[in-house]
Amino acid sequence: MVSLKELSKKEEKLASGHRLCAGCAEPIIVRQILSATDEPVIASNATGCLEVATTIYPYTSWKIPWIHSAFENAASTIAGVEACYQVLKRKGKINREIKFVAFAGDGGTYDIGIQALSGAAERGHDFLYVCFNNEAYMNTGIQRSSATPMGASTTTSPAGSVIPGKKEFPKDLTEIMAAHKIPYVAQGSPGFYNDLIAKAGKAFSIKGPKFMNVIAPCPRGWRHPTDKTIEISKKAVETCFWPLYEVENNEYRLTGISKLIAEGKKEKLPIVEYLKMQGRFKHLFTEKYKHIIPEIQSRIDSDWGILKKKCGY
Amino acid sequence: MKILGMNGDNAVAYAMKQINPDVVAGYPITPQTIAIEKFSEYVADGEVDTEFVAVESEHSAMSACIGASASGGRVMTSTASAGLAFMWEMLYVAASTRLPIVMNVMNRALSAPINIHCDHSDSMGARDSGWIQIYGENVQEGYDNIIQAVKIAESAGLPVMPCFDGFIVSHAVERVEALDDEKVKNFIGIYKSEHPLLDVENPVTYGPFDMYDYYMEHKKQEHEAMKAALKIVKDVGKEYEKISGRSYDTLSEHRLDDAELAVIALGSTAGTAREAVDEMRKKGINAGSLKLRLFRPFPYEDIRNALKNVKAIAVMDRCDSFGAFGGPMFSEIRSALYKTSDAEVVNYIYGLGGRDVTTNHIKKVISDLNNISTTGKVKEYVQYLGVR
Amino acid sequence: MKGWKEIPDGGLILEPGNSVEYKTGSWRAKRPVWDKEKCINCLICWIQCPDNAIIVENEKIRGINYDYCKGCGICASICPKEAISMEEEK
Ligand SMILES: Cc1ncc(C[n+]2csc(CCOP(=O)(O)OP(=O)(O)O)c2C)c(N)n1
Ligand code: SF4
Ligand SMILES: [Mg+2]
């Protein structure tokens, strides 16, 4: 268990005055993740809401060294930073420990950035990659990505009179990263901050490439009230839509509430509990499209079964 | 000094070994591949301290270079053709973030159809990206340019792209006078970045979101830096002459003093042009040639001076600028001469995709110029040379 | 506003965290009101505030930083003791 009292004494690495929407999950996740290490951290950031809203010139919310260079290359940019660190350390020009982190949205990770991420992971750079998964291209106005859930209405997968929103299930990027057999891969949710901070702390302590996929409710894109961000991020876990787990040295482990659900100590909620809180799924509650919900439920159940098996249940 | 027999790619790798950069990010593409292979050997044999990042794409090569350069390291890479095109987005980022990255380009045509041989479409496509561009004629110049490029980049606070012709230079074994390692080391000195990202005590934000309120000020800074780079290129050239005995400026003239006709080329064709000029001179035709070394920043005053007495000029572009009035060099040279010269300026687009250009081709160009000069008539301002 | 000679080259920002000069409190439509009596200082609202607008000193909540609070209401919705309530901004 992390101690919030202890954490509250540390200096914040993300300053107030950023212009992310009210209730946005992204800065919550940044604060939680960066609170997990006492070492100096350097971040790269892909183009997206977080990058734009925290560095509107001449202001920056970053109190750590930070670099944005483009959309698809948070991983290769931090790879260059880390490479430079390694050589300068070898030459004795730097002798302190520094942590490297890449921040990117789901668009910048699942889609356009997957090549750079895969490459940097395979090359073994010492960095933590954090994907802020708000399940769409939010900064350009809520377009679908390959992380967008089936049935969600976005501006490029709108729910219409014949098409019920996005027709495809999202790709499982966490599994793709686990298949890289890097030392640490995890899924987290800001609602379960203990779990998320513990995972980030573990990730920071491990050498080599680490990947964390964090669900990041977006009030604007998911169409939910700004005060429901945390509740929804918990419902995602409680319905097993977004299980909490980690893969450490290829060993799968459920964590937090997900572990309790697997062990029958906590109830697995039906997916409607998650869907009904969000406007992007509103059309699924109409006569015409209500058949979609069982499809989503059955996919979740099947994915959950597979994951449980991997975790030894 | 050492006399070596090397092709252009190996000369680049050799110069890079002597420079011993902090980070090199590389990706294979013909005709550049040999350079990163050779450099990888230097790394494998512990002959350099460099962190070599064998990236998964050129986009990542330039992204990693940007990250490493922002971190305060001396950073290099090389590429060609599609590789450079794939980096396009990041070229602008490197330049406008004012990162002194050095990237050799072994000029190669762009697809389609896919072609691995020389023309200048790749680097000319990047001419407005904010990189300093220097074109070398042969292996020796390729070697010399890359060493100067490090110093130019770090003095100007801008990335530099030394270019030479793919295959024609990259794969041709020539005699190279290589400087002693110590000399190179002293010449380039130690790089000290003003705001390294790795300075965790003084956190810097690199690459913020810029609106219409400041973006133009940042572009103006870049504009001025590029202007100032002209003198830096000249100064570094003079300094380099002191240690190498070889002189470098923005351009070099061949028999232009009393010439009425001039051929302008960059890269390996400049040598062919000199030969053609010499042969035409023997026939009593008053020709000269100009080799342009620096394309960005464009040395328009030097060009005006060099061409002030000529009556007809042929600009040789090894790349088309489709739909434009001539190739990129043609447009720039005509613009440089506007109101300062009465010469007729014509354009030849030649050598695309490695199409051979011989002295005979250039002799024909000089004959054309002679006709223009004597008749005062231009049949065609822009034409393809050596096409069926 | 500064001219091109007065700003750092390359778009760099050399003042870490200077966004504090930009007050986002004006975005607020509703304001969280914190009840010291009900608060048990669990700090959950602090760790889940997107704007770092919960003021914590010596492990205890001291109040809300209205300069930055955008009024999202997360704190009020997650407080286990209902120590924060949302009121209309006047
Ligand atoms: C090469 C390139 N293509 C497209 C864009 C436009 N673009 C900027 S941000 C963005 C969406 C970002 O989405 P995501 O990565 O999910 O981050 P979010 O804003 O949702 O946090 C897009 C499409 C770009 N900047 N660069
Ligand atoms: S659009 Fe969504 S992700 Fe972007 S700042 Fe607003 S709430 Fe955050
Ligand atoms: Mg997104």
Side-chain angles (χ1 to χ4, degrees), chain A residues 20 24 26 46-52 68 70-72 104-110 112 131-143 145 147 216 218, chain B residues 59 89:
Chain A
L20 288 145
C24 176
E26 294 192 335
T47 315
C49 280
L50 180 66
E51 165 267 331
V52 168
H68 157 260
F71 183 27
E72 61 279 51
D106 53 292
T109 305
Y110 282 64
I112 201 167
C131 173
F132 298 83
N133 188 5
N134 52 26
E135 302 179 328
Y137 295 102
M138 295 313 178
N139 194 55
T140 36
I142 325 165
Q143 293 81 29
S145 76
C218 159
Chain B
H59 194 285
E89 177 192 24

Side-chain angles (χ1 to χ4, degrees), chain A residues 60 66 72 90-91 96, chain B residues 22 49 51 89 201 205-206:
Chain A
T60 178
W66 179 96
E72 61 279 51
R90 224 167 34 233
K91 288 181 174 175
R96 68 191 302 170
Chain B
D22 294 310
D49 305 308
E51 188 75 16
E89 177 192 24
E201 307 296 341
T205 286
Y206 267 87

Side-chain angles (χ1 to χ4, degrees), chain C residues 6-27:
Chain C
E6 299 155 315
I7 53 177
D9 281 339
L12 274 54
I13 303 175
L14 306 177
E15 297 139 80
N18 66 351
S19 66
V20 291
E21 292 166 30
Y22 189 88
K23 308 280 162 73
T24 50
S26 60
W27 296 13

Side-chain angles (χ1 to χ4, degrees), chain B residues 158-184:
Chain B
L158 285 171
V160 181
M161 194 184 291
C163 308
F164 58 62
D165 289 349
F167 284 106
I168 302 163
V169 177
S170 68
H171 285 57
V173 178
E174 292 175 12
R175 176 187 185 276
V176 179
E177 290 182 16
L179 299 173
D180 294 335
D181 293 355
E182 232 8 68
K183 261 194 182 168
V184 174

Side-chain angles (χ1 to χ4, degrees), chain A residues 40-43 51-52 55-60 62-73 76-77 79-81 83-88 90-91 93-94 96 98 100 115-116 119-120 123 125, chain B residues 20-23 49-51 53-57 59-60 63-68 70-73 86 89-90 93 190-191 197-211 213-214 218:
Chain A
V41 185
I42 300 180
E51 165 267 331
V52 168
T55 63
I56 300 178
Y57 194 88
Y59 300 113
T60 178
W62 298 93
K63 296 169 112 176
I64 57 172
W66 179 96
I67 181 167
H68 157 260
S69 71
F71 183 27
E72 61 279 51
N73 62 356
S76 41
T77 303
V81 177
C84 191
Y85 168 71
Q86 297 300 350
V87 64
L88 296 186
R90 224 167 34 233
K91 288 181 174 175
K93 291 187 184 173
I94 291 183
R96 68 191 302 170
I98 299 178
F100 299 93
Q115 173 182 314
R123 291 191 302 272
H125 294 281
Chain B
N20 194 6
D22 294 310
V23 176
D49 305 308
T50 309
E51 188 75 16
V53 190
V55 281
E56 83 298 333
S57 74
H59 194 285
S60 283
S63 302
C65 285
I66 287 168
S71 296
F86 196 18
E89 177 192 24
M90 302 318 296
V93 177
I190 291 165
Y191 172 54
L197 200 62
L198 287 174
D199 179 0
V200 291
E201 307 296 341
N202 298 290
V204 186
T205 286
Y206 267 87
F209 180 74
D210 215 3
M211 294 283 284
D213 53 354
Y214 279 101
H218 287 127

